[in-house]
Amino acid sequence: MALFTRDPRTLEARDDGRPRLPPGQRLTDGWPVLHYGSIPKVDRATWTFHIFGLVEQEITLTWDEFMALPQSNSRSDIHCVTTWSKFDNDWEGVVIDDLLALARPKPEAAHAIFHSYGGYTTNVPLAEMHGPENMLVHSHDGAPLTPEHGGPLRGLVPSLYFWKSAKWVRGIELVAEDRAGFWEMYGYHMHGDPWTEERYG
Ligand SMILES: Nc1nc2c(c(=O)[nH]1)N[C@H]1C(S)=C(S)[C@@H](COP(=O)(O)O)O[C@H]1N2
Ligand SMILES: [Mo]
C-alpha cells in the first residue's frame, strides 16, 4: 500500500486544535483489510439487527426494515491501531442516535457492546456514540460495503481506533458496567482514543 508520510493533509488541524493525523499514524490512500478469522457468510434475506439489554424497547429489524429507516451520510477519517489512517471516507447508513431513539436506553445504560456475525464483539462508551458521525453503515464512497470490509453492515465510531468499528454487525447491547470485547480481552485498550494513543491497556 502507498504511504504518504509527507502529504500536506497530514499537517492539517481539526476544529479542536488537535492534529488531523493522530500521533504515531501514517496516511494511506489504500484500504487495508484487517480482521480475525474468516469472513462470515451473511445473507440479507435472513439478516436481523437487534438492540437489547438496558433499553425500554428491544428492537429487531430485518434488512428491509433497516433500509427503510431514515438514511444519513457522513465523511470521516479512519485511524487503525496498526498505524495506518485513511482520510475522507464517505459513509451512508443509519445514525446510531436515531436507532437509540427507538430503543430508548434506560438511565443506567452506560456502555454499548457491538455484536457481530462470527462472534466478534467490541465495547464503546454510550456517551461517545452520540452525534451524527456515529453510524451503522452499508456504503462507502458510494458503493455497497464489500464482505471483506464488513458488508452488509458495520458499525462506525470514527473518534476511536477502527477496531471499535465492528464489521458484520448484528446487534448492539446496552450495559451498565464496561465489558471487554474481543481485542480488548487480548490487551487492546478499553477506550481506544487515537489522539492520546490509547492503543493497549
Ligand atoms: N467483526 C469484526 N470486526 C472488526 C474486526 C474483526 O476482527 N471482526 N477487526 C477490527 C479491526 S482490528 C480493524 S483495524 C477494522 C478493519 O476494517 P477494514 O478491514 O474494513 O479496514 O475492523 C475492525 N472490525
Ligand atoms: Mo485493527
Side-chain angles (χ1 to χ4, degrees), residues 14-91:
R14 308 193 315 168
D15 289 345
D16 64 3
R18 284 173 155 189
R20 186 176 183 192
L21 189 70
Q25 296 294 112
R26 294 185 300 173
L27 190 58
T28 178
D29 280 334
W31 191 3
V33 173
L34 284 171
H35 52 260
Y36 180 81
S38 51
I39 298 174
K41 287 241 180 311
V42 185
D43 181 358
R44 285 174 177 75
T46 53
W47 183 94
T48 54
F49 187 83
H50 299 280
I51 303 183
F52 61 103
L54 295 173
V55 292
E56 302 292 350
Q57 179 65 59
E58 285 203 6
I59 305 275
T60 302
L61 298 164
T62 64
W63 182 256
D64 289 344
E65 288 168 341
F66 184 86
M67 295 303 283
L69 294 172
Q71 303 288 310
S72 300
N73 293 276
S74 67
R75 173 174 288 190
S76 57
D77 300 338
I78 294 172
H79 307 296
C80 175
V81 72
T82 62
T83 74
W84 58 269
S85 291
K86 176 175 171 55
F87 285 176
D88 292 322
N89 300 277
D90 285 313
W91 303 101

Side-chain angles (χ1 to χ4, degrees), residues 89-171:
N89 300 277
D90 285 313
W91 303 101
E92 183 177 354
V94 173
V95 170
I96 289 173
D97 275 333
D98 292 345
L99 280 170
L100 292 179
L102 302 174
R104 288 177 283 124
K106 293 186 173 170
E108 59 272 31
H111 297 271
I113 314 288
F114 288 80
H115 292 261
S116 294
Y117 288 100
Y120 186 81
T121 53
T122 191
N123 53 319
V124 175
L126 188 55
E128 292 186 43
M129 303 209 317
H130 299 311
E133 69 279 17
N134 301 300
M135 304 176 72
L136 297 167
V137 294
H138 53 73
S139 297
H140 175 269
D141 288 355
L145 273 182
T146 57
E148 61 182 6
H149 284 302
L153 193 76
R154 78 179 295 161
L156 177 67
V157 183
S159 61
L160 302 176
Y161 282 123
F162 206 36
W163 88 79
K164 299 289 188 179
S165 293
K167 307 203 270 194
W168 317 296
V169 72
R170 66 175 176 83

